[in-house]
Amino acid sequence: LKPPTGFNRFRVGPEVHPATRHSDPSAGTMSGLQKSGMETMLHIAKSFRDAIEEAPHRVHLMCQIGGLAVILDGIFGVLNIFAVMDNAIYYVVNVYSVFFGVVTFITETHPENNPHALYENLKSTQKWMHEWAKGLTLLQGRGLFFIFQGAMTIASSSLLSLGLVVGAYMILAGITCISLHIRDSYSRQQTDYIRVGP
């Protein structure tokens, strides 16, 4: 016997044409929210890039603030003397974090961002550090150093702590320095490029 029209032998009830099925209204809403969120993030990234291009010394300020935050976060860990008994390795990491934070704060000192007296007091130490660690005079070297600091800070921090925020901030600062290095390298390549032919 031929089955009645509109019925499928493998399903109970009448067939529904795909065109007549109602789509989930929440899917469109979620798609719109994702698109809006992506546009907002792109706008923030563009504004941040424009601010850096208008005043490059702001990169120094951004990294110097990160260095100060690493110092404070490390000091909180160093003051926790009981951590030596529980887990000595975290205590040692906090001591190194304070040292790295001090290095960052001094090497990122800039006359446009700091009081004149502070800059003059730190200028000789900054010069000595730049001679001792040549990598800190390069954007890519600073970027890798900041990413290392951020990863170390996150690894030594507990869940939902200030260290997670500080570590993420330092990783962002490192990524910013590396992206600026890539942009500058690309710009130099475009400038040095000699076109052959008409």
Side-chain angles (χ1 to χ4, degrees):
L1 294 175
K2 186 177 180 181
T5 305
F7 284 84
N8 190 312
R9 70 179 67 181
F10 299 107
R11 77 185 332 175
V12 178
E15 292 184 353
V16 180
H17 194 275
T20 62
R21 292 176 183 169
H22 296 288
S23 59
D24 186 2
S26 61
T29 305
M30 290 300 295
S31 177
L33 288 175
Q34 290 174 352
K35 184 178 179 181
S36 176
M38 184 65 69
E39 290 177 351
T40 302
M41 292 296 293
L42 290 174
H43 177 71
I44 293 173
K46 185 178 182 301
S47 300
F48 178 75
R49 184 194 64 190
D50 293 343
I52 294 299
E53 290 178 350
E54 289 175 5
H57 64 85
R58 290 174 180 167
V59 178
H60 292 285
L61 179 60
M62 175 187 180
C63 299
Q64 191 177 33
I65 291 173
L68 181 60
V70 170
I71 293 172
L72 295 176
D73 182 68
I75 287 175
F76 291 147
V78 170
L79 293 178
N80 185 13
I81 302 178
F82 297 104
V84 180
M85 309 298 180
D86 296 334
N87 203 333
I89 188 65
Y90 286 112
Y91 190 82
V92 173
V93 168
N94 283 316
V95 173
Y96 274 105
S97 292
V98 173
F99 171 71
F100 291 147
V102 170
V103 171
T104 300
F105 185 85
I106 294 175
T107 55
E108 294 299 328
T109 302
H110 193 277
E112 294 289 334
N113 303 324
N114 301 111
H116 179 72
L118 176 64
Y119 176 72
E120 289 298 324
N121 290 332
L122 296 179
K123 186 165 68 172
S124 59
T125 307
Q126 183 188 64
K127 182 179 179 181
W128 175 80
M129 285 185 174
H130 284 166
E131 293 175 354
W132 173 70
K134 295 288 186 182
L136 297 180
T137 62
L138 306 173
L139 278 171
Q140 65 271 33
R142 289 157 57 198
L144 292 174
F145 180 55
F146 298 151
I147 291 175
F148 168 73
Q149 282 188 73
M152 187 176 68
T153 303
I154 290 175
S156 62
S157 301
S158 58
L159 191 62
L160 300 178
S161 64
L162 176 64
L164 291 178
V165 179
V166 174
Y169 181 88
M170 289 305 295
I171 290 175
L172 176 62
I175 292 173
T176 301
C177 290
I178 292 176
S179 64
L180 289 174
H181 164 70
I182 294 173
R183 187 202 65 181
D184 291 345
S185 299
Y186 179 76
S187 299
R188 284 196 296 271
Q189 289 177 3
Q190 293 296 105
T191 303
D192 298 337
Y193 177 73
I194 301 176
R195 184 173 182 179
V196 179

